[in-house]
Amino acid sequence: MPYGSTKRPNRVAVIGAGIIGASVGWNLYRHGANVVFIEEGLPGEGVTNWSFSWVNASNKTARRSYFDLNVVGMATYRELAAAIGPESWWYPSGHLRWADDPAAETKFLKTAELLASWDYRVELCTGAEVRRRFEPALTMPDDVPVLFYPDEAWVHGRHLVSRLVGQAVAAGAELRTGAGVRDIVIRADGRPQQSLCPTGAA
């Protein structure tokens, strides 16, 4: 069913409006579902608010399949930023990495070679180049090797959740806050009936 259609199926309850719930609800709504977000607190202010939210694949090299999955995830974030607007949540600033320990330096340079062989963009700079190009206040030796991953980013999770839920609600979805789901009962006719408990109640 196309986004914006007036004909919608039965309501779909999305329990929890963190980054996963917000993404699921936003996608369901734009594909025609009648979505109800149910959140015990406020959208995005739980675990999502405290997550580091580093969008990368350079730290995901244990298995090629896991690396490939994260590369797809990076591309999906870029598509999402184009779809909903990047303001306040999307920061594609890249990622700098260096080490002050020779063993750690050898390891991350080897990882960079592996990533380059997988067609992942990485640039090898020096400390002096980094200060000139990115941040003059960084304290590091002029000749220290520094890796720059230009396609990486970070996400402000709570702001992203607010954007996703806000757009869905503005288009007709429903948001219920202050009540957590404590149980889901299946009626005799097969339909679910959620049991809500107000925040703070036993």
Side-chain angles (χ1 to χ4, degrees):
M1 188 177 299
Y3 181 49
S5 172
T6 57
K7 184 179 179 182
R8 292 183 178 273
N10 292 332
R11 289 188 300 173
V12 177
V14 176
I15 302 170
I19 186 59
I20 295 176
S23 300
V24 168
W26 179 79
N27 272 290
L28 284 172
Y29 192 87
R30 73 191 185 99
H31 284 94
N34 189 356
V35 173
V36 180
F37 294 98
I38 302 173
E39 170 57 49
E40 187 170 15
L42 293 174
E45 292 194 347
V47 174
T48 295
N49 194 38
W50 303 107
S51 297
F52 185 51
S53 303
W54 174 20
V55 180
N56 83 95
S58 64
N59 203 38
K60 310 294 194 300
T61 57
R63 296 187 308 278
R64 178 63 189 264
S65 58
Y66 187 46
F67 166 82
D68 289 340
L69 176 65
N70 280 271
V71 169
V72 172
M74 293 169 66
T76 302
Y77 267 115
R78 290 192 291 270
E79 292 171 4
L80 182 62
I84 68 173
E87 296 82 7
S88 82
W89 71 270
W90 175 243
Y91 297 90
S93 52
H95 161 219
L96 294 168
R97 179 178 293 185
W98 68 97
D100 56 7
D101 173 77
E105 181 179 290
T106 298
K107 183 177 180 180
F108 81 65
L109 289 173
K110 185 175 181 180
T111 299
E113 292 179 2
L114 174 65
L115 290 166
S117 73
W118 289 351
D119 297 321
Y120 193 76
R121 289 211 302 161
V122 54
E123 300 175 18
L124 179 60
C125 310
T126 65
E129 290 173 325
V130 166
R131 283 196 299 274
R132 185 174 64 252
R133 290 177 58 188
F134 302 109
E135 179 49 68
L138 280 177
T139 301
M140 61 177 68
D142 286 349
D143 59 350
V144 68
V146 182
L147 300 177
F148 176 53
Y149 295 97
D151 295 329
E152 297 186 3
W154 68 276
V155 167
H156 193 302
R158 180 165 50 85
H159 288 180
L160 173 55
V161 167
S162 178
R163 180 71 60 86
L164 293 171
V165 174
Q167 286 195 2
V169 170
E174 182 182 349
L175 171 62
R176 299 183 187 180
T177 59
V181 175
R182 294 293 179 263
D183 195 10
I184 297 177
V185 178
I186 304 300
R187 299 171 177 171
D189 60 6
R191 293 186 301 157
Q193 174 183 326
Q194 74 269 20
S195 175
L196 301 181
C197 181
T199 300

